[in-house]
Every structure is written in structure tokens, then in C-alpha cells.
Amino acid sequence: MVAITLPDGSVRQFDHPVTGLDVAKAIGPGLAKAALAVTVDGEMKDLATLLDRDVKLAIITPKSGPDALELLRHDAAHVMAEAVKELYPETQVTIGPSIENGFYYDFARPTPFGPEDLEKIEKRMAEIVDRDEAITREEWDRDEAVAFFLGLGEKYKAEIIASIPADQKIGLYRQGAFIDLCRGPHLPSTAKLGKAFKLMKLAGAYWRGDSRNEMLQRIYGTAWFDKKDLDAYLLMLEEAEKRDHRRIGREMELFHQQEEAAGSVFWHPKGWQLWLAVEAYMRRRLEANAYVEVKTPQLVDFSLWEASGHADKFSESMFTITTQDERHLAVKPMNCPCHVQIFRQGIKSYRDLPLRMAEFGSCHRYEPSGALHGIMRVRAFTQDDAHIFCTEDQITSETIAFCQLLKEIYADFGFTDVRVKFSDRPAKRAGADETWDKAEAALLEASKAAGLETTLNPGEGAFYGPKLEFVLRDAIGREWQCGTLQVDFVLPERLDAAYVGEDGAKKRPVMLHRAILGSFERFLGILIENFAGRFPLWLAPVQVVVATIVSEADDFAREVLESLKAAGLRAELDLRNEKINYKVREHSVAKVPVMLVIGKREAENRSVAMRRLGSQNQEIVALDQAVATLASEASPPA
């Protein structure tokens, strides 16, 4: 007798072993038709997996969310590989996983693929779907599998299999005449893939990600259950390309980057004004929430990073130098150990806690050249970093206060859809399991008290503690992980941070690592793309341009400019001998929110013609009223 417990708590009894498909059929023909795979005691398995014991079972269908999409995209990679082998038999297949929003497969082929090849491959994939090829799992002995793939000329597959212990069975999946190495699970047949997929682009990739190995050709694709979802995704990509912060940054003269300072940013006056507006806003919010601001050194002796544990866990991302007197220094990759050094100066009492220590800290981390992406991913960046030194009893109240502050700040920048992930202990970590148990329990309790709904992000905690990751959704639906809150019992112990408790005994503070923007560079890139450069008035680098139609209005235009500046507005003057339509077009491309146009009549009446970005209309307004209105609109959030 086999008892199958379903997600709703009901139990189905069978007097013989059954497959997931058998269970789906027993529930109803609609479910059987939609079934793609199953989870058995939480682990995803093929629909044909034989169930010969009591288990908890869930049927995966297209409505099962991320798990179903990942399964679909995994199969899309295999169908693409089958199509490539049919069209170009000399090609070797290597590795092909599902990734966020899609999939890829790396191929070894002497002739480069081109865009016309992608069209052929995509067409053949559709034919394979139409064939409705059953996808079945087989288990082989390792050496037998190695010999099989070597016989096919697939040296890369053979190399992967040969690295697996000889006593392990090798999982192979067969679909039609194509057979591939895979742990699975897979869809029951190629027809289940459907045709809502598209091959997107070509790229180079080293075998096993090692630059010493051969260069392979990578084909990226995307796959969805519904063509509407595919079309929506492609539309989002098209919109994202229009919003690319690198292009807008050039058009608005915000910043540039060049090879001589790879991974760093040259901020131009307008871009730096945007930075300063964000920094000033953040500083006001921190001061209002009882943070103290500090500044710590850029170069710190490597011994501090060894003591903190960063040298062991993070050294590959650190820039180091050896000085003339043979001291080994590191350019700081983060601020945490330096903040502990400030905390350790003098005697701290429980009355001093919580101590909220903030820094707009300039940090450097090595990122491979191929990973750099505009100002979104750089080597030199500024964190809106803070560390809250508190007692264990204060973890919950500090978490609640931080989450409230974070939500308010995101809302002021226009982000109201925020999701939270709970990241628990990683494989590579510092501290005993008992310490991690305590930290994870404390953070979970605090997040519940803060009213957060969290999803588990297993194994993605910091090396010193679990964390909450705050993911915001932008104007076109993309998700960005920005804020974090981490509970750390480890670093205060390693760096000997202490305070005097109410009982007079020496105690360790808890250290809450927290960021809201993440890094200024990346957050500004997100803002640029979210607003497509059309910033709200309080953020716009240039808020108003005063433009003349005739030279007789120049003197009054200068007076208007001075009135705007006196009211605290960031304004510029355009007295060029150009037609007004040319000026309007040029400043619209530069995304200036407001233009005040002045002709002879406006100068005589001491008025302005106010034009808003994106509008063809203009409003004639008295100078004093225009200045007062714009000053009010440009006032930053409190």
C-alpha cells in the first residue's frame, strides 16, 4: 500500500507503486493533461518517477510558478541542442542550463554561428516540438557513458562524465535520436515545451568558465508557457533597450567610462548633481533617524582583513598593494571592519546602544572585465552603508525601524512594489552552527514582527550571518535587489567589539549590517532606467531652462534665471541665436523637465511661457507665480 499526501492535506491510497502521472490521472483528466513533473518530499522529479513508498507529492503544471518555468527552460536548452545536432552534426554539445528568464547552451563548432543560423535552429526546434518525442531517463555505468560519448565525438560530455565517481550511475535523457547527460527532471515529451520560445543572441564562453580553456559559442534563448508572456517579455526587452542607462547617460551628459579606468565612473557636472541630490536626501533621512555619519580609510593593513575573516572568504575580490616599507595593504572592499574599529575606541556602555553608524563609503572590488556593465556593475563604488551595534533584545525593534525607513525611502524614489528574500547560511561561512542557529532565528522573528512576507533564498547569506534582501520592481517590471539587512554575531567576536552591560559585565554587541540603495552607482543606474531619464523635478540635474525667442528678451531672461536660482532651483540659460523649436527639441532630448520660454511680449509683461517635458502645451504665467510653483514642486521629500 502506498499513501500519497497531496498539498491540500488529502491522502490518496494505492495498492501498488504508481507514477506521478498515475496520481494525476486519479485526481482528474484535466490535471493529467496539464501535468509536467512532480515534487516528491520537496524534490522535483520526472512525471514518470515510480513512487513505491509513502510520500508528500505535488503535481507541477504550467501554473506552478518559477519551478515550472525553470523546468520548461531546461527542456528548451535540450531541444535547442537536439536541433543544433540535427542541423550541424559536426557540432559538440557541452553544457546548457536554464537561467533567469531563459536558457543557453554552449557549443564547440569550428564555424561561427550567425543570425541566420538562429532562425534555422528555432525553426527546427518547432519541428521537434511537433514530433512530440517522448523524453525518457536512462541510467548508465560511468565508463559505459564515457565510451558512448567518445564514440559520438563528444569529448566535452565525456570529460564531464569521467569526472564523476565510477561507482555512481549516470543519468542520461533520450528524446528521439538525441541523448544527453542530465540529472533532470524533464518534461514528459517535447510537445509539452510548446512554441513560446525565441533564440536571442550569440556570445563567446570559455569551456567550464576558465579563460585557459577553449572558447565555445553560446546561444541564449528565452521560453515561456504562453505566447502572450513571450511577447510581453520581448516588449520589455525592447523598452529596456530604450532605457539603457549608458545611452541616456551620454545623451544627458551625466557620466562616461573609459578603458583607462575600467570599472570606474567619470561623473560629469550634471551627473554629479544627480548624485548630490540623492546623497543629500539620504543624509537628511539618516540624521532624522538618529544615525551618526563617519568616514573610514581607503587603505587598511591586510592583517585587519585576516582578523575579520574577509581575507579567507573574499580575497579574490580584493585589490592589494605592498608598500615601500613592505607593508601589505588592501583597498577596502567594504566598511564593516573599519566601523568596528571606531566602535572599539573608548568604553561603550549598554546606554550607548543602539549605535547606528553610517558611511557613504568608497569601496573597491575586483570584477572580471566581462562582468562589468555600465555603472550597474563596477569595481569602484560607494555604498550607502551603515552598521547598527545593538543588544540581542534590540534586534527586533531595530529591524522594524529599518524596514519602515527603507520602505519610505523607496516610495520617495517611486518604488512601491518591494519583495523580501530571507537568505540563510552559505556553504562557505564563518562561525559555529549554534551561532548561525541563533542569528537565523533572531532575523526570522524580527522580520515577522516587522510584518514582512519573505521567500527563502537558500544558502545566499553573507559569510558572517543571514540576511534579508529587498528586491524592488521598476516601471517596466524588472526586479532589482538593492537593500539588505544582515544579523552578525561573528564579526564583533572576531574583532573584539564589546560593551559594558547593565550588570557591569563585558558583552558582545550584535552587529546589523544594512544598506538601502546598495551602491550609489548601481542605484543611480536603476533610477535612470526606471524614469528613462525623465526624473521627477526634485531629482533632475537641470530642473529648468530659461530660453529666449528674441535677443530683446535677454535681460529679462537673466533676471528670471537669478530668481529661479535664488529660490534654490537648478536652472540654466539659453540665449543662443537659434530658433525656439530647435531649442525646445534639444532640451527635450536632454530630458529637462521644464522650459520657461521668453519672447518680447513675455519680457514686457514680466511673464514666462511654461512648457513641461512631453507636453505640446504651454502656460503663460507671471514670473513670481512660476518661481513659487516650481520651487514648491522641486522641494525634495522630507
Side-chain angles (χ1 to χ4, degrees):
M1 186 69 70
V2 178
I4 307 296
T5 303
L6 300 173
D8 63 1
S10 63
V11 178
R12 294 269 175 162
Q13 299 279 355
F14 298 89
D15 58 8
H16 53 80
V18 291
T19 66
L21 182 58
D22 293 330
V23 178
K25 287 178 177 177
I27 296 173
L31 181 60
K33 184 177 180 180
L36 303 174
V38 292
T39 57
V40 180
D41 293 332
E43 184 179 359
M44 192 181 292
K45 299 280 190 180
D46 294 321
L47 195 59
T49 298
L50 194 64
L51 309 171
D52 57 3
R53 59 182 175 83
D54 295 351
V55 297
K56 292 182 179 179
L57 187 82
I59 309 293
I60 301 296
T61 73
K63 296 181 179 180
S64 297
D67 287 345
L69 268 175
E70 183 177 358
L71 179 68
L72 181 85
R73 290 162 180 165
H74 183 186
D75 277 59
H78 282 255
V79 170
M80 178 173 71
E82 181 181 3
V84 168
K85 287 295 290 184
E86 289 184 1
L87 291 167
Y88 314 100
E90 76 282 5
T91 303
Q92 294 187 63
V93 297
T94 66
I95 296 172
S98 63
I99 55 175
E100 184 180 7
N101 293 324
F103 59 93
Y104 70 79
Y105 218 117
D106 290 343
F107 300 99
R109 181 173 182 248
T111 305
F113 288 113
E116 67 284 356
D117 294 305
L118 297 191
E119 293 179 14
K120 293 177 183 177
I121 296 167
E122 198 173 293
K123 183 179 179 182
R124 182 58 60 91
M125 289 174 67
E127 294 173 8
I128 293 170
V129 169
D130 287 338
R131 291 180 206 160
D132 194 12
E133 296 173 348
I135 304 175
T136 56
R137 178 181 174 84
E138 301 174 7
E139 290 193 348
W140 292 36
D141 291 330
R142 187 199 69 173
D143 293 343
E144 180 188 10
V146 170
F148 173 78
F149 280 101
L150 285 176
L152 294 177
E154 297 280 359
K155 70 170 188 177
Y156 296 94
K157 288 292 181 187
E159 180 181 323
I160 297 171
I161 297 169
S163 66
I164 299 172
D167 59 347
Q168 287 189 19
K169 287 290 186 181
I170 305 302
L172 301 180
Y173 279 82
R174 189 184 297 273
Q175 54 193 58
F178 180 69
I179 188 166
D180 201 358
L181 169 70
C182 191
R183 287 178 297 184
H186 277 283
L187 300 170
S189 78
T190 58
K192 293 289 188 180
L193 177 61
K195 295 183 180 178
F197 55 77
K198 184 173 180 59
L199 302 187
M200 306 295 294
K201 64 179 180 178
L202 294 160
Y206 291 109
W207 167 235
R208 291 191 159 181
D210 190 332
S211 60
R212 295 168 296 182
N213 291 336
E214 305 96 316
M215 176 67 77
L216 306 174
Q217 298 184 67
R218 177 172 293 179
I219 300 179
Y220 283 98
T222 187
W224 302 80
F225 281 108
D226 189 282
K227 192 172 185 304
K228 289 182 180 178
D229 292 335
L230 172 62
D231 291 342
Y233 175 69
L234 296 177
L235 182 63
M236 185 273 287
L237 290 182
E238 184 180 331
E239 183 63 29
E241 188 174 349
K242 296 177 186 175
R243 294 167 178 256
D244 190 308
H245 71 279
R246 294 166 296 183
R247 180 180 61 80
I248 293 175
R250 289 192 299 271
E251 291 176 352
M252 295 183 66
E253 298 180 355
L254 301 178
F255 63 86
H256 86 275
Q257 294 174 282
Q258 61 190 63
E259 190 58 36
E260 290 82 355
S264 299
V265 186
F266 293 81
W267 289 101
H268 295 199
K270 293 175 182 177
W272 191 242
Q273 185 58 66
L274 174 62
W275 177 297
L276 291 175
V278 173
E279 184 179 80
Y281 165 80
M282 291 299 296
R283 185 168 278 118
R284 287 193 301 274
R285 297 307 305 259
L286 293 177
E287 289 176 355
N289 283 269
Y291 283 80
V292 293
E293 188 175 342
V294 299
K295 191 70 175 174
T296 57
Q298 290 291 105
L299 283 173
V300 181
D301 196 283
F302 200 74
S303 61
L304 179 62
W305 306 104
E306 291 175 323
S308 69
H310 289 91
D312 181 44
K313 313 292 183 184
F314 210 74
S315 59
E316 69 279 0
S317 298
M318 296 173 69
F319 290 100
T320 60
I321 61 170
T322 300
T323 64
Q324 289 88 335
D325 58 356
E326 298 187 350
R327 291 192 65 182
H328 191 33
L329 307 179
V331 185
K332 70 175 179 181
M334 65 275 297
N335 304 300
C336 339
C338 294
H339 287 189
V340 177
Q341 304 315 300
I342 294 177
F343 182 87
R344 292 179 68 239
Q345 300 303 301
I347 298 173
K348 297 293 187 297
S349 161
Y350 69 94
R351 296 187 182 89
D352 298 316
L353 305 183
L355 174 58
R356 306 181 186 103
M357 190 183 299
E359 178 175 8
F360 299 129
S362 181
C363 301
H364 292 74
R365 297 178 190 173
Y366 175 73
E367 295 280 358
S369 298
L372 299 177
H373 178 68
I375 65 175
M376 297 286 203
R377 191 157 184 180
V378 291
R379 291 172 177 165
F381 58 96
T382 299
Q383 288 184 313
D384 73 313
D385 206 5
H387 295 91
I388 302 170
F389 297 88
C390 64
T391 67
E392 288 188 39
D393 292 341
Q394 293 169 334
I395 292 175
T396 295
S397 59
E398 288 302 304
T399 297
I400 293 171
F402 168 70
C403 291
Q404 181 62 34
L405 175 63
L406 174 140
K407 290 178 181 178
E408 290 174 359
I409 288 174
Y410 283 172
D412 284 344
F413 284 111
F415 301 111
T416 55
D417 186 353
V418 182
R419 304 179 187 193
V420 188
K421 298 179 181 179
F422 179 86
S423 300
D424 60 8
R425 67 194 74 185
K428 193 176 181 181
R429 59 183 182 268
D433 285 344
E434 300 78 37
T435 302
W436 277 87
D437 291 340
K438 182 167 65 171
E440 288 172 353
L443 186 55
L444 276 173
E445 180 183 343
S447 62
K448 290 176 182 176
L452 301 179
E453 292 185 10
T454 62
T455 58
L456 182 62
N457 192 21
E460 292 299 320
F463 80 84
Y464 44 73
K467 64 180 176 180
L468 298 177
E469 297 181 352
F470 297 86
V471 182
L472 53 85
R473 189 184 292 267
D474 71 8
I476 59 174
R478 295 173 299 177
E479 293 187 341
W480 305 93
Q481 191 268 306
C482 293
T484 61
L485 176 67
Q486 303 159 13
V487 174
D488 181 6
F489 289 90
V490 174
L491 211 56
E493 180 70 33
R494 294 186 70 121
L495 297 181
D496 194 28
Y499 69 94
V500 178
E502 195 169 359
D503 58 0
K506 176 182 175 181
K507 299 180 183 297
R508 297 289 184 208
V510 179
M511 196 171 174
L512 303 183
H513 306 245
R514 62 121 223 77
I516 296 176
L517 307 186
S519 82
F520 270 77
E521 288 78 3
R522 183 168 178 269
F523 194 77
L524 289 176
I526 293 169
L527 286 179
I528 291 168
E529 295 198 359
N530 180 68
F531 292 113
R534 298 186 173 207
F535 298 108
L537 197 59
W538 74 276
L539 276 177
V542 177
Q543 295 168 322
V544 189
V545 165
V546 181
T548 55
I549 299 175
V550 294
S551 59
E552 291 92 328
D554 287 0
D555 288 342
F556 180 62
R558 293 187 183 97
E559 184 181 340
V560 172
L561 179 70
E562 293 308 312
S563 296
L564 293 169
K565 288 186 173 182
L569 289 154
R570 297 186 287 274
E572 292 184 353
L573 188 61
D574 188 347
L575 303 180
R576 292 176 299 166
N577 184 25
E578 299 284 358
K579 292 183 178 180
I580 191 59
N581 287 342
Y582 176 85
K583 294 182 181 182
V584 169
R585 184 166 58 252
E586 189 174 73
H587 294 301
S588 295
V589 170
K591 310 293 192 298
V592 177
V594 179
M595 285 189 67
L596 300 184
V597 178
I598 301 173
K600 185 176 181 181
R601 182 181 303 174
E602 285 79 19
E604 291 172 351
N605 297 334
R606 297 188 61 77
S607 62
V608 295
M610 187 183 299
R611 299 175 63 104
R612 305 274 185 172
L613 180 63
S615 173
Q616 299 297 318
N617 300 323
Q618 64 181 28
E619 180 184 5
I620 306 301
V621 185
L623 172 59
D624 291 346
Q625 180 185 344
V627 172
T629 297
L630 293 175
S632 176
E633 291 180 15
S635 179

